Amino acid sequence: MRDQDPSAAASPDLARMRVDYGDPLSAPAVEPDLDETWVAGGWEPLLRNWIEQATMLGVAEPNAMVLATVSLAGPVPRPVARTVLCKGLSPEGVTFYTNYDSAKGGQLAADPYAAATFVWPALARQVHVRGVTERVPAEVTAAYWQARPRESRLGAWASAQSKPVASRAELDRTLAETTARFADVDDIPVPPFWGGYLLRPDEVEFWQGRRGRLHNRIVVRIDGEHTRVERLQP
Ligand SMILES: Cc1cc2nc3c(=O)[nH]c(=O)nc-3n(C[C@H](O)[C@H](O)[C@H](O)COP(=O)(O)O)c2cc1C
């Protein structure tokens, strides 16, 4: 198979790949001198602003974040990470939607702590959001569900996310059955196994790349009503 051609190992030359962050030519709209004052109004306005800037600069899926959970299934806890889309942002936290019976759903039921990382390499920026998750109220899920196209709703019903499936054909068959099942239903309801999680941060770190690898790292630590801002070494 093409992907298994051993000659492909030499290219690309990963060790030589290098970007000098903070280069005004690569991201002219981005101000690299992140400091403590940027989070004076809290972490949420700055995260919102960075997502907006990534959007304006044409970054694909600027609300994508890598969500890490903890699996307690084996003899020792192990991290598990995958990408999800941030579909809500407020001073309370970040919200994403998924299948509650998926692998991540099972992991969050056993250990609600999670970490989400946004990364926008074109802006030399990264944000980590860490804390405890909780399911959002059913009305919040219902409001978001209204915005989902019919095809996405059918997909949510048809997929037992994270479970094995014998073939693509079987998946297509399940989708065809689901489509037939809801053929006469205008407003396809929210599946009982599907909904949102709110990740309430106790820590949010903003990272802005600078030349020479002396990057800016500003972390907001949240403990109830108290917040503390610290700069971390790169
Ligand atoms: C850009 C991107 C966005 C994604 N967004 C979501 C999402 O919002 N919700 C979701 O359940 N899965 C999303 N996925 C798929 C997940 O990465 C993952 O494959 C799926 O949720 C199953 O994860 P799990 O088996 O660890 O539970 C996305 C994948 C990519 C690449």
Side-chain angles (χ1 to χ4, degrees):
M1 252 171 41
R2 193 177 37 143
D3 289 351
Q4 289 169 353
D5 177 358
S7 67
S11 171
D13 187 345
L14 299 172
R16 282 177 184 274
M17 285 183 176
R18 181 163 295 270
V19 171
D20 205 2
Y21 301 128
D23 184 344
L25 293 177
S26 61
V30 171
E31 163 59 60
D33 289 327
L34 165 69
D35 68 27
E36 290 86 337
T37 62
W38 289 33
V39 290
W43 62 272
E44 188 257 354
L46 185 57
L47 176 54
R48 185 176 292 279
N49 175 259
W50 282 19
I51 294 172
E52 279 167 10
Q53 287 195 355
T55 308
M56 285 183 322
L57 288 173
V59 170
E61 310 255 40
N63 57 333
M65 56 185 195
V66 174
L67 175 80
T69 51
V70 179
S71 169
L72 302 175
V76 292
R78 290 177 63 153
V80 186
R82 84 290 283 156
T83 310
V84 293
L85 297 176
C86 171
K87 290 288 184 173
L89 178 59
S90 78
E92 282 192 289
V94 297
T95 300
F96 59 92
Y97 291 87
T98 193
N99 184 313
Y100 287 141
D101 294 338
S102 65
K104 76 181 86 50
Q107 287 147 15
L108 290 173
D111 180 342
Y113 284 91
T117 293
F118 294 83
V119 60
W120 308 281
L123 286 76
R125 281 178 175 167
Q126 164 181 253
V127 176
H128 306 299
V129 181
R130 304 182 182 117
V132 74
T133 56
E134 62 191 42
R135 291 186 182 192
V136 303
E139 16 348 324
V140 174
T141 290
Y144 169 66
W145 181 258
Q146 288 304 316
R148 277 174 72 92
R150 187 174 181 86
E151 202 180 22
S152 307
R153 295 185 185 197
L154 290 168
W157 273 101
S159 171
Q161 194 177 53
S162 316
K163 308 285 187 303
V165 62
S167 63
R168 177 76 219 183
E170 189 178 317
L171 199 54
D172 290 341
R173 216 165 22 247
T174 311
L175 179 61
E177 284 164 13
T178 309
T179 305
R181 178 181 162 195
F182 289 109
D184 297 332
V185 180
D186 276 347
D187 192 13
I188 299 175
V190 181
F193 51 81
W194 193 93
Y197 287 94
L198 172 70
L199 168 53
R200 282 184 189 275
D202 48 37
E203 196 174 287
V204 182
E205 183 198 319
F206 294 86
W207 185 100
Q208 177 73 65
R210 289 299 313 267
R211 282 173 188 248
R213 295 322 197 231
L214 275 186
H215 314 300
N216 285 314
R217 298 179 64 189
I218 299 294
V219 60
V220 182
R221 300 189 199 283
I222 304 146
D223 182 7
E225 295 295 298
H226 302 283
T227 60
R228 192 157 47 92
V229 177
E230 280 177 336
R231 176 181 283 273
L232 303 180
Q233 298 191 38

